Amino acid sequence: PDTDTRGWAIIDCLFNIPLLYWASEETKDPRFKKIAMTHADTVAANFVREDGSVRHIVQFDPETGAFVRDYGGQGYAQGSSWTRGQTWALYGFVMSYKHTGAVRYLAMAQKVAEYFIAHIPADGRIPVDFCQPAEPKYYDDIAAAVAACGLIELASRIPDPCAENAARTGRYRRLGRKPRRLPAILQCRLPRQGAQCQLYLRRLLFL
């Protein structure tokens, strides 16, 4: 195994950067916010795959900052989708949008959320990795809890769909599926503010 971890970064850190946003708000020093946004942009460019799945560990060249490779980390394998990492990304991008208003973070949160929602198994129980084999079965309640919280926050941040989100709202509505059971940890209430928010409520509780 690799022992030289210089340049390594993990998706978990995206969920920590709201502290930097808070620091800028409290001290009126914009440098902390700038560092947080640079980190969020780096995650968006290097951790989130085209399909919305998320890498756990990325190795960067410590001299140039260039992407070198990724590692499976706590996921099933390299290239798989560790569910807890998905939720760190989902919630982390929502929080970056909350603190900055930068729509690119909202779009990234939705991209990760769509992948997560599309891969929830029929029984509603969240596996450790969406790509893990059928047996043995391993589940991650923390991933389920963080996903629920992230989706609640995401639903409350979606702009009014009567403007530029109208087409997207219609597409999401057509993707509605028949009800099936979700674990109790996901049986929460979302704020009912606007059609887009109601859509996320429907998709979370009636997948």
Side-chain angles (χ1 to χ4, degrees):
D2 291 295
T3 57
D4 183 355
T5 57
R6 290 176 299 172
W8 285 31
I10 56 176
I11 188 61
D12 315 46
C13 294
L14 184 64
F15 196 55
N16 299 333
I17 63 175
L19 181 61
L20 294 171
Y21 294 125
W22 172 86
S24 276
E25 292 163 4
E26 290 296 312
T27 66
K28 311 306 178 186
D29 186 335
R31 291 177 296 176
F32 301 111
K33 179 179 179 181
K34 184 176 181 179
I35 292 169
M37 294 182 72
T38 298
H39 183 85
D41 291 337
T42 300
V43 170
N46 295 280
F47 280 80
V48 182
R49 303 185 183 101
E50 190 61 34
D51 64 357
S53 63
V54 175
R55 300 177 171 99
H56 181 200
I57 301 173
V58 169
Q59 179 183 353
F60 297 94
D61 186 306
E63 298 293 335
T64 67
F67 178 94
V68 176
R69 58 163 295 181
D70 66 331
Y71 294 86
Q74 291 178 262
Y76 175 67
Q78 183 180 10
S80 67
S81 176
W82 178 48
T83 56
R84 199 178 303 183
Q86 290 287 140
T87 64
W88 296 143
L90 165 59
Y91 209 163
F93 281 121
V94 173
M95 296 306 288
S96 280
Y97 174 67
K98 174 182 178 180
H99 286 281
T100 68
V103 294
R104 64 183 182 274
Y105 299 140
L106 177 64
M108 195 58 63
Q110 289 182 288
K111 182 176 183 177
V112 175
E114 291 298 322
Y115 179 92
F116 189 94
I117 291 170
H119 288 79
I120 295 176
D123 65 2
R125 302 182 68 183
I126 306 302
V128 170
D129 193 303
F130 283 132
C131 301
Q132 70 187 39
E135 296 292 342
K137 296 183 183 296
Y138 292 107
Y139 301 103
D140 191 341
D141 288 343
I142 293 177
V146 178
C149 293
L151 288 168
I152 289 171
E153 191 69 36
L154 177 59
S156 71
R157 300 288 165 186
I158 299 294
D160 190 327
C162 67
E164 68 272 10
N165 283 334
R168 178 181 298 151
T169 300
R171 180 173 62 84
Y172 283 174
R173 186 175 293 112
R174 290 193 296 272
L175 291 174
R177 288 175 273 184
K178 296 181 179 179
R180 59 177 183 259
R181 185 176 60 83
L182 282 177
I185 201 166
L186 289 179
Q187 301 299 326
C188 55
R189 295 180 180 272
L190 296 180
R192 297 175 180 272
Q193 301 172 357
Q196 184 76 53
C197 184
Q198 293 180 33
L199 175 63
Y200 270 97
L201 172 67
R202 181 185 178 196
R203 297 196 67 190
L204 178 60
L205 299 183
F206 300 98
L207 286 167

